[in-house]
Amino acid sequence: SPARSSEPDEEITLVPMGAARLRISAFPVIATGDGGHQWIAPVLGKKLYEARASLCYGGDSIDAVCDDELPASSSDQTVPRLTFWPHKGSSEWVQAHFAEPRTVSRVEVYWFDDEAIGGGCRVPASWSVFARRDGQWVRLAPDAPHGTERDRFNALAFAPVETEALRLEVELQEDWSAGVLEWRIE
């Protein structure tokens, strides 16, 4: 939000919680003109991008980063994840390859951190986002804050860029591994 729209206002009727299967906890805010973000509809049955990674632990899945399964917390064991285990203190990466070039201006990462259950993954020391343009990886928003908070999405906004791929570079904490539960690209 705000989402860009030129559609007319529409009146809706809200049904009390518990009386419907679909529950809405927040409504998007609409903006006209350049003040809003363009919404790109997901393609049902198809991923928006193909994920690749420098390493994926045997019991994990690279596709976990783009499966739209949202965790309850950073230590959620019920959703798929990508971890760089057993690597510790190293530089790792995850890439998103699009079927065709697209314009992106924001990413959000939900980190896996199993400290609460005695595991070996912690949020990373730091991370960066790169876009591939003309065969070269270009770092996006290097001076913007890059959050590593547990139990939430950590966002990075940058000037819109058209690219065929993004790379999330992750610096692991010394003596710890890390993982990604979900990576949103807008």
Side-chain angles (χ1 to χ4, degrees), residues 66-80:
C66 58
D67 64 5
D68 285 329
E69 290 193 45
L70 302 181
S73 70
S74 288
S75 60
D76 191 341
Q77 301 283 310
T78 66
V79 296

Side-chain angles (χ1 to χ4, degrees), residues 19-172:
R21 294 184 83 175
L22 174 64
R23 294 185 175 102
I24 299 173
S25 60
F27 289 94
V29 176
I30 301 297
T32 57
D34 293 334
H37 302 287
Q38 180 178 351
W39 181 73
I40 300 172
V43 180
L44 295 178
K46 291 176 121 180
K47 296 180 289 187
L48 290 177
Y49 63 86
E50 176 189 353
R52 299 178 190 160
S54 58
L55 178 72
C56 183
Y57 179 66
D60 296 343
S61 168
I62 293 171
D63 291 333
V65 301
C66 58
D67 64 5
D68 285 329
E69 290 193 45
L70 302 181
S73 70
S74 288
S75 60
D76 191 341
Q77 301 283 310
T78 66
V79 296
R81 65 186 172 268
L82 161 79
T83 61
F84 304 112
W85 183 262
H87 289 190
K88 298 176 183 179
S90 58
S91 295
E92 304 297 338
W93 55 264
V94 178
Q95 289 178 189
H97 294 265
F98 309 118
E100 57 187 50
R102 66 183 270 202
T103 301
V104 295
S105 60
R106 178 181 169 94
V107 299
E108 297 179 334
V109 185
Y110 204 113
W111 300 111
F112 178 67
D113 183 314
D114 58 1
E115 179 178 22
I117 57 173
C121 289
R122 302 295 180 270
V123 294
S126 64
W127 59 285
S128 303
V129 176
F130 294 78
R132 190 166 66 205
R133 301 189 66 192
D134 301 322
Q136 302 291 320
W137 289 107
V138 178
R139 187 171 178 187
L140 303 175
D143 298 325
H146 294 57
T148 56
E149 299 295 320
R150 292 179 182 93
D151 304 328
R152 57 171 276 202
F153 277 98
N154 291 268
L156 174 65
F158 43 85
V161 60
E162 184 173 311
T163 184
E164 72 240 12
L166 286 181
R167 176 180 269 199
L168 177 67
E169 290 194 3
V170 182
E171 296 295 325
L172 308 183

